[in-house]
């Protein structure tokens, strides 16, 4: 696919076109932060943003959603709730957020696909945008191998100054560009400019892990019984914020809600968190991770080992949102480096 | 037969009960499933019991109230604490850390001796309490959820996670980012993080989660500039009876 060029002044016209046929989701500024949400005008999109406070996960897995409706009685009736598809363009996702959706896909689409996730995902088009410098001191995307989007987009923009270079990742992306934008093919000079910008980008991102991330599963596994986790848990409030703002966490609880007529109701799923006291409580009252130390360790092992083993992808994309939201500033960069220190001394 | 329901009160503002008439047409629908036999605030009917489900609002602040509560307990199959005062002592327990004589003189002036009172305590300090509708005031929808669960023979379940969870589900910007010091990280959720969602800090009216990380929370508040005394004062607003302030 040729690399295309879209002048910055032509972006509003592109978004305008998309808005005719799609719901457009983009980063919007609010109280000094950026949040993903639907936009109604191109100027609402703050394309040159550092990071959105919350990940795009909610567009595929809402915080709370009904999964079935039921009616009790002699012949109980059950009907799945499947949302009608809404074609969406997620405009301006950073590479870390593109990678996070890759992990959610692996969890929800592989075996036994989830109907609602699948509908939302099949109807979503990703227009990514490159990060040319780290968003802040908490991000470690380069270490986790998610700074490069690795083709996981429909379209991908890179800031060349006056214009964006647009890389095409899919037929849908190509069609979108052709139908709604005034993009043209890049000249030789523009192509070399893109290569230069990429090289500079890679230099701008420092390595924050002291080891190669592919060793994380082995490093973590060797320190399972370390007293480190107990010490760390003393600082942790167990509030669950780290997992609830995580772009790859997908654990949820399933609850039944009945109406006041006591016969009709719905089954809902809501975001849950493995940090919470009752997450591992099962029928009969047994809690197989009763201490915060166990739960906090479990969270880091999900990110750095278990999901890797299960899905073949790191469970963490290095976006740093967990640290940003953690009031105790428990930081995976520090945790992974501390555990590596123990590992290398053992 | 419809279960017989009674509502009583001790030291409180009766604002939690007031949420029940605020249910409006839903109250009429609820009355198809229950018989309200005693409710001074909302009905002229009165029954001496026994009751299937009894909601009790308010904290115990006078010695003789203990006997009255014990009698209510004896006549009730299920007893539910309604609101923060009944559940955790609530704002009434702010006085517990003050000089009791001084407090009485401040409130009742030269008639203080006519009004003997004791440090405020939740119902559970006197009798066994089966379930709780937390909050100041209660959330009327949660009152309905708990009542529906009982009507269906299910155990009412309260969230045992903190308000932070509901803030994150709502994509709120943390109020700590706005310079407020919030009790949300250790306060029981179930209010849909109402106060932080509207820009205020959580003051803890729903009580603590079961295993709060108090020390970690104190460290966080200290990081945000609070000294030990400030921290205890924040906790004292609703948790005056709880161990955490002792």
């Amino acid at each position: 696919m040729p690399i295309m060029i879209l002048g910055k002044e032509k972006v509003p016209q592109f978004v305008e076109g998309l808005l005719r046929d799609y719901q457009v989701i983009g980063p919007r500024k609010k109280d000094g932060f950026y949040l993903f949400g639907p936009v109604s005008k191109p100027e609402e999109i703050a394309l040159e943003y550092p990071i959105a406070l919350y990940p795009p996960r909610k567009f595929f897995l809402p915080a709370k959603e009904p999964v079935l409706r039921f009616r009790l009685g002699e012949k109980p009736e059950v009907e799945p709730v499947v949302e009608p598809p809404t074609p969406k363009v997620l405009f301006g996702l950073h590479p870390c957020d593109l990678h996070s959706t890759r992990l959610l896909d692996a969890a929800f689409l592989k075996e036994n696909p989830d109907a609602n996730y699948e509908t939302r995902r099949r109807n979503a088009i990703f227009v990514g945008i490159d990060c040319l410098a780290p968003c802040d001191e908490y991000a470690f995307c380069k270490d986790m191998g998610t700074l490069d989007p690795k083709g996981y987009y429909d379209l991908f923009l890179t800031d060349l100054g006056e214009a964006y270079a647009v890389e095409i990742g899919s037929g849908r992306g190509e069609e979108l560009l052709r139908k709604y934008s005034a993009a043209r093919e890049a000249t030789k000079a523009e192509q070399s400019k893109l290569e230069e910008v990429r090289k500079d980008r890679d230099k701008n991102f420092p390595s924050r892990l002291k080891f190669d991330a592919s060793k994380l599963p082995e490093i973590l596994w060797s320190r399972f019984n370390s007293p480190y986790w107990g010490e760390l848990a003393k600082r942790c409030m167990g509030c669950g914020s780290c997992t609830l703002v995580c772009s790859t966490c997908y654990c949820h609880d399933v609850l039944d809600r009945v109406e006041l007529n006591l016969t009709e109701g719905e089954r809902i799923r809501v975001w849950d968190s493995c940090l919470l006291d009752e997450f591992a409580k099962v029928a009969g009252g047994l809690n197989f991770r009763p201490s915060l130390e166990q739960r906090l360790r479990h969270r880091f092992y999900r990110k750095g080992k278990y999901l890797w083993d299960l899905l073949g992808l790191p469970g963490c994309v290095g976006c740093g949102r967990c640290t940003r939201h953690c009031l105790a500033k428990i930081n995976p960069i520090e945790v992974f480096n501390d555990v590596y220190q123990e590992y290398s001394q053992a | 037969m419809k279960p017989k329901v009674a509502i009583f009160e001790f030291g409180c503002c009766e604002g939690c009960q007031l949420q029940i008439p605020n249910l409006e047409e839903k109250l009429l629908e609820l009355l198809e499933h229950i018989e309200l036999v005693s409710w001074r605030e909302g009905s002229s009917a009165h029954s001496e019991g026994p009751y299937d489900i009894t909601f009790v609002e308010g904290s115990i602040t006078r010695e003789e109230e203990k006997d009255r509560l014990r009698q209510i307990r004896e006549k009730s199959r299920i007893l539910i604490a309604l609101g923060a005062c009944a559940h955790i002592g609530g704002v009434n327990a702010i006085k517990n850390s003050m000089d009791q004589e001084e407090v009485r003189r401040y409130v009742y002036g030269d008639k203080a001796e006519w009004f003997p009172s004791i440090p405020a305590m939740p119902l559970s300090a006197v009798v066994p309490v089966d379930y709780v509708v937390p909050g100041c005031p209660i959330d009327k929808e949660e009152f309905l959820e708990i009542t529906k669960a009982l009507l269906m023979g299910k155990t009412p379940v309260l969230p045992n996670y903190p308000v932070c969870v509901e803030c994150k589900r709502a994509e709120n910007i943390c109020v700590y980012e706005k310079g407020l010091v919030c009790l949300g990280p250790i306060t029981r959720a179930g209010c849909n993080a109402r106060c932080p969602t509207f820009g205020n800090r959580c003051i803890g009216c729903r009580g603590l989660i079961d295993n709060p990380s108090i020390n970690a929370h104190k460290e966080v508040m200290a990081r945000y500039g609070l000294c030990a005394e400030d921290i205890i004062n924040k906790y004292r607003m609703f948790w005056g009876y709880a161990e955490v302030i002792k």
Side-chain angles (χ1 to χ4, degrees):
Chain A
M1 285 285 183
I3 289 165
M4 304 294 282
I5 293 292
L6 184 64
K8 283 190 175 174
E9 76 288 352
K10 288 177 178 155
V11 173
Q13 181 199 343
F14 182 26
V15 176
E16 202 74 73
L18 296 175
L19 278 165
R20 283 199 297 272
D21 296 325
Y22 295 92
Q23 186 186 38
V24 178
I25 311 275
R28 299 177 307 176
K29 196 166 187 182
K30 188 193 170 195
D31 297 342
F33 294 91
Y34 294 87
L35 296 166
F36 288 120
V39 298
S40 53
K41 293 192 286 283
E43 57 269 32
E44 288 173 32
I45 300 181
L47 205 48
E48 284 160 28
Y49 68 112
I51 186 164
L53 199 54
Y54 289 88
R57 174 183 63 158
K58 66 169 175 179
F59 300 107
F60 309 105
L61 294 167
K64 177 179 165 184
E65 66 171 319
V67 288
L68 58 86
R69 289 199 56 81
F70 57 81
R71 178 192 285 275
L72 305 172
E74 281 187 20
K75 275 192 185 168
E77 292 165 34
V78 174
E79 195 189 340
V81 178
V82 181
E83 200 179 84
T86 311
K88 286 186 181 73
V89 175
L90 281 82
F91 200 96
L93 297 190
H94 286 158
C96 60
D97 286 333
L98 295 169
H99 277 276
S100 69
T101 314
R102 196 173 158 205
L103 185 120
L104 297 180
D105 284 355
F108 282 86
L109 296 180
K110 265 188 178 168
E111 300 153 25
N112 200 8
D114 180 86
N116 277 334
Y117 181 89
E118 189 169 28
T119 305
R120 294 184 191 116
R121 199 48 199 87
R122 301 270 177 250
N123 284 283
I125 298 177
F126 291 157
V127 179
I129 184 162
D130 213 350
C131 294
L132 301 181
C135 46
D136 59 26
E137 74 268 34
Y138 304 126
F140 59 116
C141 46
K142 186 179 171 184
D143 302 270
M144 297 312 293
T146 59
L147 175 55
D148 191 301
K150 297 176 185 164
Y152 205 73
Y153 49 76
D154 296 290
L155 292 173
F156 190 70
L157 314 180
T158 301
D159 191 342
L160 297 184
E162 303 285 295
Y164 290 106
V166 188
E167 287 161 279
I168 297 166
S170 73
R172 286 199 306 184
E174 189 183 14
E175 197 197 324
L176 212 65
L177 202 60
R178 187 171 41 76
K179 195 167 165 191
Y180 299 102
S181 87
R184 57 166 176 82
E185 271 191 41
T187 62
K188 277 260 155 53
E190 283 161 339
Q191 287 180 32
S192 3
K193 176 102 192 266
L194 175 62
E195 276 168 36
E196 256 172 62
V197 165
R198 281 282 154 76
K199 274 183 203 151
D200 287 343
R201 175 195 75 179
D202 291 347
K203 276 184 245 160
N204 285 340
F205 281 78
S207 288
R208 285 174 171 160
L209 292 184
K210 293 175 183 160
F211 56 93
D212 190 285
S214 64
K215 289 192 82 177
L216 250 182
E218 180 193 329
I219 291 165
L220 284 173
W221 198 236
S222 77
R223 303 309 301 160
F224 190 82
N225 292 316
S226 166
Y228 180 77
W229 304 110
E231 286 304 309
L232 192 65
K234 287 181 189 163
R235 282 168 60 201
C236 175
M237 297 190 290
C239 70
S241 293
C242 51
T243 56
L244 293 156
V245 304
C246 176
S247 54
T248 61
C249 276
Y250 51 75
C251 288
H252 52 260
D253 197 5
V254 176
L255 306 167
D256 288 344
R257 290 274 176 260
V258 69
E259 285 168 23
L260 204 41
N261 59 23
L262 306 184
T263 52
E264 287 167 289
E266 61 182 13
R267 175 163 294 179
I268 58 168
R269 66 178 172 201
V270 293
W271 291 350
D272 204 342
S273 163
C274 58
L275 263 300
L276 304 176
D277 218 3
E278 293 185 356
F279 181 82
K281 194 170 168 184
V282 293
L286 175 78
N287 190 336
F288 56 86
R289 276 195 293 273
S291 75
L292 184 52
E293 176 183 349
Q294 290 169 312
R295 297 195 295 273
L296 185 59
R297 179 180 61 193
H298 179 78
R299 173 202 156 205
F300 282 108
Y301 278 59
R302 281 286 285 185
K303 301 290 115 182
K305 173 169 169 61
Y306 302 150
L307 283 176
W308 226 323
D309 293 348
L310 189 70
L311 304 171
L313 291 166
C316 170
V317 295
C319 69
R321 286 189 178 92
C322 50
T323 319
R324 250 169 244 118
H325 283 263
C326 178
L327 292 168
K329 285 288 169 277
I330 292 176
N331 183 337
I333 302 172
E334 288 167 18
V335 172
F336 291 151
N337 281 336
D338 287 349
V339 177
Y340 171 69
Q341 190 84 5
E342 283 192 6
Y343 164 86
S344 54
Q345 283 166 3
Chain B
M1 256 221 326
K2 291 180 187 175
K4 290 182 169 32
V5 175
I7 301 169
F8 299 108
E9 61 284 315
F10 290 90
C12 65
C13 71
E14 298 190 19
C16 286
Q17 289 178 54
L18 199 58
Q19 294 300 312
I20 300 169
N22 278 349
L23 285 166
E24 297 181 349
E25 69 269 31
K26 285 185 184 167
L27 176 59
L28 299 178
E29 214 180 321
L30 179 64
L31 288 171
E32 289 175 23
H33 304 291
I34 63 167
E35 191 184 345
L36 260 173
V37 294
S38 259
W39 182 20
R40 191 187 51 74
E41 191 180 65
S43 161
S44 52
H46 176 69
S47 153
E48 285 299 325
Y51 316 113
D52 294 300
I53 304 170
T54 305
F55 292 93
V56 179
E57 187 183 351
S59 60
I60 302 304
T61 60
R62 289 185 294 138
E63 199 58 45
E64 60 266 39
E65 289 175 339
K66 292 182 180 172
D67 271 340
R68 185 175 162 236
L69 177 59
R70 286 189 193 106
Q71 287 163 18
I72 290 171
R73 173 73 263 194
E74 267 173 37
K75 291 192 260 183
S76 307
R77 193 163 61 82
I78 295 169
L79 187 126
I80 301 178
L82 189 73
C85 296
H87 171 208
I88 49 175
V91 290
N92 295 340
I94 294 174
K95 71 165 185 174
N96 292 10
S97 58
M98 302 174 182
D99 182 279
Q100 295 302 296
E101 284 304 311
E102 209 176 295
V103 167
R104 269 166 61 201
R105 270 203 308 279
Y106 179 79
V107 177
Y108 300 111
D110 59 2
K111 305 291 185 293
E113 63 190 274
W114 296 4
F115 298 97
S117 75
I118 56 174
M121 57 188 80
L123 306 182
S124 59
V126 182
V127 297
V129 170
D130 298 303
Y131 306 109
V132 172
V133 188
C136 179
I138 61 157
D139 181 311
K140 55 185 192 275
E141 293 300 326
E142 192 173 37
F143 165 83
L144 276 184
E145 286 303 317
I146 288 167
T147 309
K148 281 188 288 187
L150 291 173
L151 290 170
M152 298 189 77
K154 292 169 65 173
T155 304
V157 179
L158 293 178
N160 187 19
Y161 49 76
V163 172
C164 291
V165 171
E166 291 177 333
C167 262
K168 298 301 173 287
R169 285 179 188 155
E171 292 208 343
N172 286 338
I173 295 167
C174 182
V175 296
Y176 277 89
E177 296 281 1
K178 302 174 184 170
L180 300 174
V181 169
C182 176
L183 302 192
I186 49 173
T187 297
R188 188 180 298 276
C191 51
N192 284 321
R194 186 169 290 142
C195 297
T197 300
F198 289 99
N200 277 318
R201 63 195 187 88
C202 167
I203 53 177
C205 76
R206 294 174 56 84
L208 290 155
I209 48 172
D210 282 355
N211 298 304
S213 300
I214 297 291
N215 289 336
H217 184 246
K218 283 181 178 171
E219 270 176 40
V220 163
M221 294 210 292
R223 179 197 284 263
Y224 280 83
L226 262 62
C227 67
E229 196 190 339
D230 293 338
I231 292 170
I232 293 300
N233 278 336
K234 299 274 182 220
Y235 285 173
R236 203 167 265 153
M237 175 110 183
F238 279 96
W239 306 341
Y241 186 80
E243 274 302 310
V244 291
I245 66 135
K246 287 167 191 163

